[in-house]
Amino acid sequence: MIKKIITYTLIAGMAFLFVWTFWFLYQNSQKKPVIFQTDSLFYSDVVQKSVSAGAIVPRKEVAIKSQVSGIVDQLYVEAGKYVEKGELIARIRIVPNMVNLNNAETNVTKAQLQLEQAETEYNRYKKLYEEQLIPQAEFNRYQLDYNQAKETLRAAVNNYDIVKEGATKQAGNATNLVRATVSGMVLDVPVEEGGFVIEGNTFNEGTTIAFIANMNDMIFLGKVDESEVGKIYKGMDIDLHIGAIDNKTFPAKLEFISPKGITEDGAIKFEIKAAVHIDKKEYIRSGYSANADLVLQRRDSVLVIKESLLQFKGDSVFAEVETKPQEFKKQLVKTGLSDGIKVEVLSGLKPTDKIKVVVEKPKM
């Protein structure tokens, strides 16, 4: 009797295990229903813009150069100082060229000899003229030669002083003194006291002593792609975002678009300039990096949809509209302006429509 009970129990257990296994496998083989999320249309502004990377620089930046070659004897300014036009910036100690110095000395000697000869002739003919032995016209010729000899000597001495010292003693003109040619802030002084500088001439630009600029007149200097240059125009408003100043936008106005493009990283770029309006309370340094938002097109308070909700097939645009709970129908949509995130809906959808959220867009 006990054996029968045990046998029936084992048979019942195995039957239950078989039925449970079959039911478990059947349940796992059934696909779970997919619940699709939906999203709605809404009203918003759509702004299509181009971003131009560049920098904030002074409109006019002047490089002050030395008129003579020599050694920087003393600097009177440093970066950040404001200077007026004509203010002394540096003094150069002349290191004369020996060939030029020798030629200047020779010219002085020749001029002295010519003056001595002219003076002797002048005094002799002056005495003859006073004794009325020669006419005045002949005396005037020797007087002119004497005066010209004095001027020649003066010029030779001045030239000698300039070659040797960089200045003339008589006139006080100092070519070795470097002065500001404009008023503004000193941006940089790329030389040091004791450094050698060369003068600008036909063959080289010369050594720059200092850079001076008007920091109250700043511009944005950037580039735009050739695909967008035709959509911008002079006088359009620009929003500037300066990297060194967070959470603040600076207004600017486009005032220059280069007529010639340049190749940069395989693309054609066009240089642009925009006048920046800066509050006097803000201190903007030259060279700050900045991004300019150029508004190409704009739509205010229009019906829009997230671009990720749309499906594209060729030139056609579709959206899956919910007709009943979890039942959707493809609807042809006519779109307008897009900013890359949301797009304007011109027709095909209503503000009350629920649009199916496609997790992964099917490949068309």
Side-chain angles (χ1 to χ4, degrees), residues 46-214:
V46 182
V47 180
Q48 187 183 70
K49 59 185 180 181
S50 172
V51 178
S52 173
I56 305 297
V57 297
R59 183 183 299 277
K60 293 181 179 179
E61 183 175 320
V62 179
I64 308 300
K65 299 181 181 293
S66 174
Q67 297 178 357
V68 295
S69 298
I71 297 174
V72 180
D73 193 41
Q74 190 167 357
L75 290 171
Y76 299 98
V77 298
E78 60 183 10
K81 180 182 178 181
Y82 183 86
V83 295
E84 294 288 347
K85 182 178 180 180
E87 188 172 337
L88 188 60
I89 293 178
R91 185 176 69 236
I92 309 300
R93 186 170 74 251
I94 302 297
V95 179
N97 182 287
M98 298 310 297
V99 174
N100 294 338
L101 183 62
N102 182 67
N103 291 337
E105 290 177 344
T106 302
N107 291 336
V108 171
T109 302
K110 288 181 179 179
Q112 287 176 337
L113 294 174
Q114 291 173 355
L115 178 59
E116 291 175 359
Q117 177 66 26
E119 185 177 10
T120 301
E121 293 294 319
Y122 169 75
N123 291 331
R124 185 164 67 88
Y125 280 91
K126 180 181 180 182
K127 185 177 181 181
L128 295 174
Y129 171 71
E130 291 174 348
E131 295 176 354
Q132 298 183 352
L133 298 177
I134 59 173
Q136 184 175 358
E138 186 177 356
F139 168 70
N140 290 343
R141 180 165 59 85
Y142 288 98
Q143 186 179 34
L144 177 62
D145 291 341
Y146 174 60
N147 292 333
Q148 287 179 339
K150 288 194 294 184
E151 288 299 317
T152 301
L153 177 60
R154 187 183 67 83
V157 171
N158 287 341
N159 183 64
Y160 174 80
D161 291 339
I162 291 173
V163 171
K164 185 177 180 180
E165 304 292 341
T168 59
K169 297 177 181 179
Q170 295 180 1
N173 297 326
T175 58
N176 67 325
L177 298 180
V178 183
R179 300 183 181 273
T181 57
V182 294
S183 299
M185 179 178 291
V186 179
L187 300 183
D188 187 24
V189 182
V191 297
E192 299 287 345
E193 291 184 358
F196 187 79
V197 297
I198 60 175
E199 63 180 300
N201 53 44
T202 308
F203 303 101
N204 62 75
E205 296 182 355
T207 305
T208 300
I209 305 298
F211 292 96
I212 300 177
N214 180 7

Side-chain angles (χ1 to χ4, degrees), residues 20-36:
W20 182 85
T21 302
F22 178 80
W23 176 85
F24 177 77
L25 293 175
Y26 174 79
Q27 290 294 327
N28 285 345
S29 66
Q30 300 299 309
K31 293 183 178 180
K32 295 181 180 180
V34 179
I35 305 299
F36 291 99

Side-chain angles (χ1 to χ4, degrees), residues 237-240 248-253 274-279:
D237 293 327
I238 297 175
D239 292 332
L240 289 180
K248 188 163 185 179
T249 301
F250 294 86
K253 191 173 290 292
V276 185
H277 303 286
I278 301 175
D279 193 334

